[in-house]
Amino acid sequence: MSSEPEKEVKRHFTRLDKDGNGYLDADELKLLLIDMGFAPSKAIKEAQEMLEAADQDGDGQVDFEEFKQVWHRKLLSQHDQYIHRVFAVFDDNGDGYIDAKELQGVLGDGFEDIQKMIEEVDDNGDGKLSFEEFQKAMQEDAGGQGKLEAYAGLGGEGIQESDRPNVDFDEDGDDQKEEQD
């Protein structure tokens, strides 16, 4: 891992390490999963499973090296699911390809602009995007955003603290009513 991504992972680790002890427990891992879009009740269960899977030394906590491995596995999984969902939205007729008309229907840009966008990432030159071409185009470039994400404004901002719902949990892990500010 290069130093920039490792610094980013370390920043997240430090942010999640609420008690500052250099380790993450199940409650702290739950926050990571909520940041990644998991429902709070599912995040509790998944955090416990992550802890069991990642805790290589059996101390009931995850250190930075263990966290780094978990982070990359979850990030890759979530990114792949995201690409599949976005592809399904664009592939309006369900034929397994995205053509300019389908892309224009979602993005609303001019047809010529859409065709240029497709041409830039259409590896086989058939005028439409297969899932593989779309996936490749969505992969991050040096700027941190895929070509299609940049064109379509799909990159979005990361989840901010203010985006989190204020939810309490009872002992069995069920979500409780969201508090209103």
Side-chain angles (χ1 to χ4, degrees), residues 161-176:
E161 189 68 33
S162 62
D163 295 329
R164 290 187 186 184
N166 190 3
V167 178
D168 290 328
F169 301 97
D170 62 17
E171 290 301 313
D172 65 3
D174 293 332
D175 299 349
Q176 297 296 308

Side-chain angles (χ1 to χ4, degrees), residues 100 110-122 151:
F111 193 73
E112 286 97 27
D113 291 337
I114 297 291
Q115 283 180 310
K116 286 178 188 172
M117 187 186 317
I118 288 177
E119 287 171 10
E120 187 170 328
V121 295
D122 181 16
Y151 280 125

